Amino acid sequence: AAAQRPAKKAKRSAADDAASASAVLPSVGSVVSVTIKRSIPGVGYEVSLDDSCVGRVHVTEVVDEWVESPLSRFKMGATTEAVVIGTVNVHANLTLRKSMLAEALSQPKALELKEKHARPASAEEIAEGQLVRGYVKKVTERGVFLSLSCTVDAFVGLKFVSEDFVKADKLAERLPVGQLVVGRVITRAQPATSSKPSTLPAVSLRLGDVKDG
């Protein structure tokens, strides 16, 4: 009789791989030790939790205060504590902010710290006329995208970058990726309709708008 061929192993789907990997990720709210592996301007850190888990720390989740060059706080290879704030496929999203660590560890005045250094969770929280801070995420010919938090972006149109005329090809020099800016919201985010796509909050960096509101 002909020898039987060994049964083929069922192919693993991407969903199976993701489910397997996510099973070893720590739960949201966990305090974990991370090692800084890579710094990406305007984006944040790539970190490792252990030999098999990787994570990301958004540029707005490095420190509580809005500071210039937050990614200079840690050197490559440095180890620190972080809090898991979400998981996406095989990655953990983390924060290094002291207020979030205080909350996770139930430290005194944790709620006070969290409220003082709160980040917007959705664009709906951003009101017209509000003063906002953020880091330059991307520069285009039309204007600049800002990160107001790890979940909320905003847009600065070219004519709202400055009272002075700024040429599109000089915009990246004026506002390099990763730079901290302060601006005033001039238009709230708009939800998508049957005829129009959703829009981001529109921000002005003009000195007059920022000072006068």
Side-chain angles (χ1 to χ4, degrees):
Q4 291 184 342
R5 293 182 179 179
K8 291 183 178 180
K9 292 183 179 180
K11 290 184 177 180
R12 290 176 59 86
S13 66
D16 292 332
D17 290 336
S20 175
S22 62
V24 300
L25 291 174
S27 59
V28 173
S30 300
V31 177
V32 296
S33 177
V34 300
T35 301
I36 309 297
K37 292 297 185 182
R38 185 184 177 200
S39 175
I40 308 173
V43 177
Y45 292 129
E46 289 184 354
V47 302
S48 63
L49 285 69
D50 55 36
D51 292 337
S52 60
C53 295
V54 293
R56 295 167 178 159
V57 179
H58 193 262
V59 64
T60 61
E61 293 293 332
V62 177
V63 293
D64 280 313
E65 297 77 15
W66 291 97
V67 298
E68 293 283 0
S69 306
L71 298 183
S72 65
R73 290 301 177 96
F74 293 94
K75 294 181 179 180
M76 298 306 99
T79 300
T80 187
E81 286 188 323
V83 180
V84 180
I85 56 176
T87 57
V88 180
N89 296 327
V90 298
H91 291 88
N93 291 326
L94 305 118
T95 179
L96 306 181
R97 294 197 287 130
K98 289 183 179 180
S99 62
M100 299 296 284
L101 279 164
E103 181 187 30
L105 297 172
S106 300
Q107 293 179 349
K109 297 186 178 181
L111 182 59
E112 180 183 336
L113 283 171
K114 183 179 179 181
E115 291 177 348
K116 180 181 179 181
H117 299 292
R119 301 285 194 262
S122 68
E124 287 70 28
E125 296 179 20
I126 307 297
E128 187 171 323
Q130 181 178 341
L131 197 66
V132 295
R133 289 171 172 79
Y135 295 103
V136 176
K137 179 180 181 179
K138 183 180 179 181
V139 180
T140 72
E141 291 183 353
R142 294 175 48 247
V144 174
F145 289 90
L146 306 177
S147 289
L148 307 186
S149 72
C150 61
T151 55
V152 180
D153 291 343
F155 182 72
V156 182
L158 186 60
K159 67 179 181 179
F160 291 103
V161 168
S162 170
E163 280 92 353
D164 303 325
F165 176 71
V166 180
K167 293 183 178 180
D169 60 354
K170 298 294 183 181
L171 192 53
E173 295 179 18
R174 184 71 172 261
L175 292 172
V177 169
Q179 181 170 318
L180 173 65
V181 299
V182 180
R184 184 80 62 179
V185 178
I186 53 177
T187 307
R188 296 191 63 183
Q190 300 298 317
T193 66
S194 57
S195 58
K196 294 182 180 179
S198 61
T199 62
L200 297 173
V203 172
S204 173
L205 304 183
R206 292 175 175 175
L207 188 58
D209 293 333
V210 173
K211 282 189 172 183
D212 301 335

